[in-house]
Amino acid sequence: MKPLLLIIAYLAAVTLPLVLSWFFGGPPRLIHQELASGLGILAFSMILMEFVLSGRFKSISNGVGLDVIMRFHQVMARTALGFALLHPFLYRGTPSGGQRPWDPTRQLTITTDFSALFTGIAAFLLLPSLVLLAVGRTHLGYRYETWRLIHGIGALLIALLLLHHTTYAGRYGSQPAMTWVWLAMTGVAVGSLLYVYLLVPLRDKTRPWLVTSVTQLTPKQWELTVKPKGHSGLDYNAGQFVWLNVGHSSFSMKENPFSICSAPGAGPEISFMIKELGDFTRTIGQIPAGTFAYLDGPYGHLTVDGRTEPGIALIAGGVGLAPLIGILRQMRLSGDPRKVKLIYGNRVADQIAFRDELAAQDVVYVLSEPPESWHGETGFIDTALIDRVFLEQELSEWVFVMCGPAIMMDSVEDHLIERGTPTHRILSERFDYD
């Protein structure tokens, strides 16, 4: 029910200004002018709601999954862009010029005063740029923290420009009651930014962590472990993740999401399985013990706690093993009697992590580039392998938890649904989006 409630809440929030504008508005105009105003109102309210759909609010993302929230964030941003781009062109035929003597309240005409229109024109030009930078960020070569800063400042600037344009150039936004509505909604959006960039770092500053060890697991994979300093630690479920900041101020943009690979029942120390990929991860092996770290979390719904299925299927691709081995460790510590099967795929044999620890599990190893001496599965984690590993009853009754490359998860999810696995028994979470 939670996803449905979130959708209802979202629709109510973005349509509220439209409904109130109709209530407070004046006499009707030509249909294309009313449509233009309606699209502009919806675009602005959707843009303001994008601040809340940032993925950093646990009450929203933990219930339905970060990947669902972020995908919804993307779709709504592109929809708002479409509405915003159409908005000015539908005012065709609107009389030009300033205020009319017969319309002192601007109920029938729209102002063309440049001071009121300029902010709308600026937002009209900035919004496509912001969306395109977000869509192409992985291909542009700049750092994640640089993109995040640009994205946050750009979104804030667009919101403020649209607030001015709506309240000074809009027929409905200039109504006193609507001006207060837009001010309140913009305040919520700005408050969301302040929460993420100011309040959360302030809270994290009072709850520091210390790096206790950095252990090499494979040639390019490491296990980093931190312990709480001066506090009791983090209350989390196996399979969740945090935003990890190592060696920087709590206000630094240099934080990244990493899944927790330790078990809550093992004590206050928390471990992360990290692969060398970006600027931070390439230097992971050089981090000395005693380095300060900050954790923002936990986030995510990739957990089997409280579920009643008779068995758990874990499907990992590469470093996607991290949250799944955390689940295995917690099940072992708690004496969980449920059956478990793990499919673990990698490119080559020396990428297999925690091999000794996994020896006691029912594990199917898969290599896409196996050595001649390899006797396990070869190729990729595909639909044929799923059918070989799991029985018909397991496909319909077990819970399936997966983490890894998006192409693997998309293929496995589609196949499980085709084989009759209910969607509420398929758990996955992605950190990469197009």
Side-chain angles (χ1 to χ4, degrees), residues 43-48 50-51 77 80-81 84 118-133 150-166 182 186 189-190 193:
F44 187 22
S45 60
M46 291 170 72
I47 289 169
L48 293 178
E50 289 294 281
F51 288 81
L81 174 62
F118 173 75
T119 49
I121 295 170
F124 183 86
L125 297 175
L126 284 174
L127 184 58
S129 301
L130 190 73
V131 173
L132 289 175
L133 284 173
I150 293 172
H151 195 69
I153 293 175
L156 177 60
L157 179 58
I158 289 171
L160 296 178
L161 289 170
L162 288 177
L163 176 62
H164 178 273
H165 176 70
T166 300
W182 287 120
T186 304
V190 174
L193 277 184

Side-chain angles (χ1 to χ4, degrees), residues 300-357:
H301 75 312
L302 209 66
T303 174
V304 298
D305 291 2
R307 302 191 67 99
T308 59
E309 290 86 356
I312 300 171
L314 304 174
I315 304 173
V319 74
L321 177 68
L324 307 191
I325 198 166
I327 292 173
L328 285 173
R329 288 169 169 174
Q330 181 62 24
M331 292 181 69
R332 186 165 57 247
L333 285 173
S334 63
D336 195 313
R338 287 175 289 183
K339 296 180 180 178
V340 180
K341 288 183 181 180
L342 168 65
I343 298 179
Y344 180 23
N346 284 286
R347 184 175 61 85
V348 294
D350 66 1
Q351 291 178 339
I352 299 174
F354 301 112
R355 200 164 189 169
D356 292 340
E357 183 177 346

